[in-house]
Amino acid sequence: MRPAKLKVTSPAGKEGVYVLEGDQYTVGRVAPNHEPDIVLAPDPQGWISRLHCILDLDLGQWWVTDHARNGTLLQRDVPGSEVRPVRGRELLKHGDTLLVLGDMMDDEELLYWRLTYIDAHATRPAPVWQETPGQETRGQEEARPGIRYDAVGSRVYRVEGGKETLVEGLRPKGHQLLRHMVSRGSGLPVTEASDAEAVTAEAVACDHDELITALWKPREEWPPGRGYDRTDLAGVVRAVRRRIEPDPAHPRILETVPTIGYRLYVYPQAPPEGPEQRSGT
């Protein structure tokens, strides 16, 4: 199978092509002790994040997850498609272009890096999991379980197969982890373009250092002689998975992003419902 490619065009028009032969690529700027797989440089005005977005391969399809403070834009390669922000984790299709703000001119003209996805098998048949006539499934991403976090009542609900189940037994650090990751999302419904009623889970990615700070405060505020690292964070994640995952040994709600951190699938806050509409309450 021929690998996909990513054509990268700088704001100045310089082009380069990356062959996507691995399973995951990080995109961003160089920082001390950090160099992403795909470096966007120079960045004279600081628009680009250290970890701007992540490209990952899943079941033969490439996906993008936004992780930038200034956001990542997406333009589909279809007539009339509008440029819009990447919301969580989204499937890339042949010809789609990611736009990363790289510079702003004195007259406020915005100049972007353009990352165009080139699928070497663009004419292949649709994946077997996609909806075909007579099927009721909406596709793999919409079937993914996730959580909904009720911040007012500090309650967590697992959303799976269109049903919500109250999650019990989470410890305080587990709630802190989920609260922080949920707060990093857009809070907006993510819908499938072909069906505006089909709300899917938003993927929210956070790196290790961000989550350690969220759980135990900045390093300078730690008690004398006490330190926290990825091992402590992994312990909290395991405890959370035991409560929220249908199968903790194979997590699909709180996923590991290798070498980066974790990704949580979040459903938007739902309007108030009667008790008969929610199981586990």
Side-chain angles (χ1 to χ4, degrees), residues 100-237:
V100 175
L101 182 60
D103 206 352
M104 180 184 292
M105 306 302 287
D106 291 339
D107 60 359
E108 297 187 352
E109 178 186 3
L110 302 180
L111 303 179
Y112 289 92
W113 288 83
R114 300 178 63 87
L115 288 65
T116 302
Y117 174 68
I118 302 171
D119 187 347
H121 302 272
T123 59
R124 68 184 184 279
V128 296
W129 53 262
Q130 288 186 343
E131 185 173 0
T132 57
Q135 289 183 321
E136 295 183 358
T137 177
R138 298 182 187 276
Q140 179 200 31
E141 185 67 7
E142 292 177 286
R144 180 182 291 276
I147 68 156
R148 183 175 67 80
Y149 196 94
D150 175 8
V152 176
S154 293
R155 295 186 180 92
V156 180
Y157 298 93
R158 181 170 63 242
V159 182
E160 184 179 18
K163 297 181 180 180
E164 290 190 359
T165 303
L166 178 65
V167 174
E168 298 179 306
L170 277 173
R171 300 184 67 82
K173 285 299 180 194
H175 277 280
Q176 290 177 15
L177 178 77
L178 296 179
R179 272 178 175 266
H180 178 80
M181 297 189 76
V182 169
S183 73
R184 292 279 276 103
S186 68
L188 300 174
V190 180
T191 60
E192 183 68 23
S194 61
D195 186 351
E197 298 298 322
V199 177
T200 73
E202 177 183 9
V204 180
C206 297
D207 64 33
H208 296 109
D209 291 342
E210 175 185 350
L211 293 174
I212 290 171
T213 299
L215 292 176
W216 292 287
K217 301 181 180 180
R219 183 181 299 270
E220 58 269 20
E221 297 183 33
W222 293 350
R226 183 65 170 99
Y228 302 95
D229 56 24
R230 297 183 183 184
T231 302
D232 299 287
L233 175 60
V236 175
V237 169

